[in-house]
Amino acid sequence: MAEVEIKVKGIVKDNDTYLVVKKWYDDRVVDPYRWQFIDGDIEVGEDPAKAVVRVIKEQTGIDAVMDSPLYTWSYTVGEHHIVGICYECFALNKEAVLSEELQEYEWISKDEFETYIDNKDLLHDIANSNLI
């Protein structure tokens, strides 16, 4: 029987800038860290909109409010199926205190997404959302 995991992603905005974080990706490559938006798991019984705010706070120390869902995604690895919900969120503060799994953060413009984010599927999903 396949296992299903639900994730949330928060694209955190402050005025015209967006929060990206450098997160460990894979230690089998030269640069094991990749730039991405905040994401994490939903706890059992947790509302996804509350989960994204919690994940942002836990990983960055930034207080945020969820504005609206942007898109969903899913993929399967073997017997493991991952379903995700991406939300646009607004930052209430900009200074981050990163969790151990994150290396650094930047506030970037929409025009810089392709410079920082190398996940083409993520860029495609963002382009098809109402964010851009």
Side-chain angles (χ1 to χ4, degrees), residues 81-96:
H81 187 70
I82 294 91
V83 176
I85 308 166
C86 180
Y87 293 94
E88 182 175 27
C89 301
F90 293 101
L92 300 176
N93 58 298
K94 283 186 80 164
E95 291 300 316

Side-chain angles (χ1 to χ4, degrees), residues 96-132:
V97 177
L98 300 178
S99 66
E100 289 182 10
E101 65 186 17
L102 302 179
Q103 186 179 45
E104 59 186 290
Y105 75 99
E106 294 284 339
W107 289 94
I108 65 171
S109 70
K110 287 182 195 178
D111 295 338
E112 296 175 288
F113 283 0
E114 290 187 28
T115 302
Y116 281 80
I117 308 290
D118 60 4
N119 181 331
K120 299 302 180 199
D121 291 331
L122 174 58
L123 292 171
H124 178 266
D125 288 341
I126 291 170
N128 288 329
S129 73
N130 61 1
L131 184 63
I132 296 179

Side-chain angles (χ1 to χ4, degrees), residues 5-9 71-74 82-86:
E5 180 180 343
I6 302 172
K7 291 192 167 287
V8 289
K9 180 182 303 297
Y71 63 89
T72 61
W73 79 93
S74 68
I82 294 91
V83 176
I85 308 166
C86 180

Side-chain angles (χ1 to χ4, degrees), residues 16-50:
D16 291 330
T17 61
Y18 296 84
L19 178 67
V20 291
V21 294
K22 208 168 193 184
K23 186 174 183 178
W24 180 85
Y25 175 72
D26 187 344
D27 62 5
R28 297 172 291 177
V29 296
V30 175
D31 182 6
Y33 290 90
R34 297 284 187 259
W35 289 101
Q36 63 183 48
F37 299 104
I38 300 295
D39 67 4
D41 296 326
I42 294 177
E43 295 175 357
V44 174
E46 188 176 26
D47 178 88
K50 291 180 181 175

